[in-house]
Amino acid sequence: DALGVEVISGVDVGNDGVGDVLKAAVGDRQIDILVNNAGILNVDPLNELDLDSLRQQFEINTLGPLRVTTALRSNLPSGSKVGIITSRMGSIADNTSGGMYGYRISKAGVNMAA
């Protein structure tokens, strides 16, 4: 409260209905700074690749911030800022450690959107 920050918890950014939940919580209030911080990392070894796990990571890590930002776009006045918390593991230029395929793919995707 001292910082004037509000955190809306319990929001499933992997669900297409997240916009309705957020709009109900925010109403017509303006948002000066929107931080997209939801994320998930599942361990996906190449020899045991789980496509459902990859899809889940993509839904949350890549599409989640887009869902949230799109839903709250009308609450973002001119000059407002939108941040997306990402990861170095999503860097195409810095892919030295390998592994974590679903996470890497999903964070590379959100980096391209940011």
Side-chain angles (χ1 to χ4, degrees):
D1 287 330
L3 297 176
V5 174
E6 180 179 356
V7 175
I8 301 172
S9 60
V11 174
D12 181 2
V13 302
N15 184 311
D16 286 337
V18 70
D20 295 334
V21 172
L22 290 171
K23 289 299 285 182
V26 174
D28 60 359
R29 290 179 289 162
Q30 291 192 337
I31 300 170
D32 296 320
I33 300 172
L34 173 63
V35 178
N36 290 282
N37 191 41
I40 185 171
L41 183 154
N42 296 331
V43 178
D44 299 306
L46 191 56
N47 61 342
E48 298 174 19
L49 205 56
D50 179 348
L51 295 180
D52 287 333
S53 172
L54 267 66
R55 281 186 199 93
Q56 179 190 35
Q57 290 172 92
F58 186 78
E59 286 287 339
I60 293 170
N61 297 343
T62 308
L63 299 180
L66 298 176
R67 285 184 183 103
V68 169
T69 304
T70 300
L72 297 175
R73 193 166 167 216
S74 64
N75 299 82
L76 299 167
S78 178
S80 61
K81 305 292 183 200
V82 175
I84 299 174
I85 305 302
T86 184
S87 170
R88 185 179 205 169
M89 289 180 74
S91 170
I92 294 170
D94 184 17
N95 186 9
T96 57
S97 60
M100 307 294 183
Y101 297 100
Y103 187 76
R104 286 185 182 284
I105 292 165
S106 66
K107 288 299 186 173
V110 80
N111 287 347
M112 296 305 295

